Amino acid sequence: MIRVEQQKKSEQKVEAFWETQKPRVEKFIRYNYTDVNSITFTKITNSPLGTALHGFINNDKKLNFFVSVSLASGEIKFEDDISGALWEREKYNEVIPVSKIDEHEKQQEKASN
């Protein structure tokens, strides 16, 4: 009974983690990949080593992706590790991490004020 309750709490923690990270994942995908009209998140998977958020873009399940994060050292923000079929749509030679995107947006905001 105690083990089931602990697992339920762990799953709730992971779901809450991904809810806070979904906007970061969306920002990352829209910034780094071309022709992204919609993003659909489908499921969360868990393993002893971490957790992953799965989804696809443009209502096309062939354009799938998953984002994995190791939670071993505590809650870690999603930055730039994405896998799946999106590589065909990369805008740049290398993907730009969310922290750099945020930094760039702040600089643009300062310049426009």
Side-chain angles (χ1 to χ4, degrees), residues 24-26 28-30 32-33 39 41 53-55 57 63-68 78-87 90 95-96:
R24 294 174 62 82
V25 173
E26 286 191 38
F28 176 84
I29 291 172
R30 291 185 188 284
N32 283 290
Y33 300 94
I39 299 171
F41 297 109
L53 176 66
H54 301 257
I57 66 165
L63 295 174
N64 61 44
F65 64 86
F66 69 93
V67 180
S68 58
F78 164 75
E79 277 296 319
D80 65 0
D81 184 23
I82 193 164
S83 302
L86 289 182
W87 64 269
E90 284 183 358
V95 294
I96 311 299

Side-chain angles (χ1 to χ4, degrees), residues 8 11 16 20-21 35 39 49 54 56 60 64 72 93 95 98 105-106 108:
K8 187 183 248 186
E11 287 173 4
T20 65
Q21 296 305 299
D35 302 322
I39 299 171
L49 299 176
H54 301 257
F56 54 88
D60 185 347
N64 61 44
N93 291 337
V95 294
V98 178
E105 287 176 346
K106 284 179 186 175
Q108 284 183 323

Side-chain angles (χ1 to χ4, degrees), residues 8-94:
K8 187 183 248 186
K9 285 182 182 180
S10 177
E11 287 173 4
Q12 290 172 340
K13 183 178 178 182
V14 168
E15 286 179 29
F17 167 80
W18 281 119
E19 283 304 313
T20 65
Q21 296 305 299
K22 281 180 182 180
R24 294 174 62 82
V25 173
E26 286 191 38
K27 180 184 281 193
F28 176 84
I29 291 172
R30 291 185 188 284
Y31 194 89
N32 283 290
Y33 300 94
T34 61
D35 302 322
V36 177
N37 299 317
S38 67
I39 299 171
T40 304
F41 297 109
T42 57
K43 67 180 177 178
I44 297 169
T45 57
N46 299 308
S47 74
L49 299 176
T51 179
L53 176 66
H54 301 257
F56 54 88
I57 66 165
N58 299 343
N59 296 317
D60 185 347
K61 292 183 180 180
K62 292 178 185 173
L63 295 174
N64 61 44
F65 64 86
F66 69 93
V67 180
S68 58
V69 174
S70 171
L71 296 175
S73 61
E75 292 186 0
I76 301 170
K77 291 181 181 177
F78 164 75
E79 277 296 319
D80 65 0
D81 184 23
I82 193 164
S83 302
L86 289 182
W87 64 269
E88 299 171 358
R89 294 174 175 256
E90 284 183 358
K91 288 182 185 177
Y92 312 107
N93 291 337
E94 61 184 56

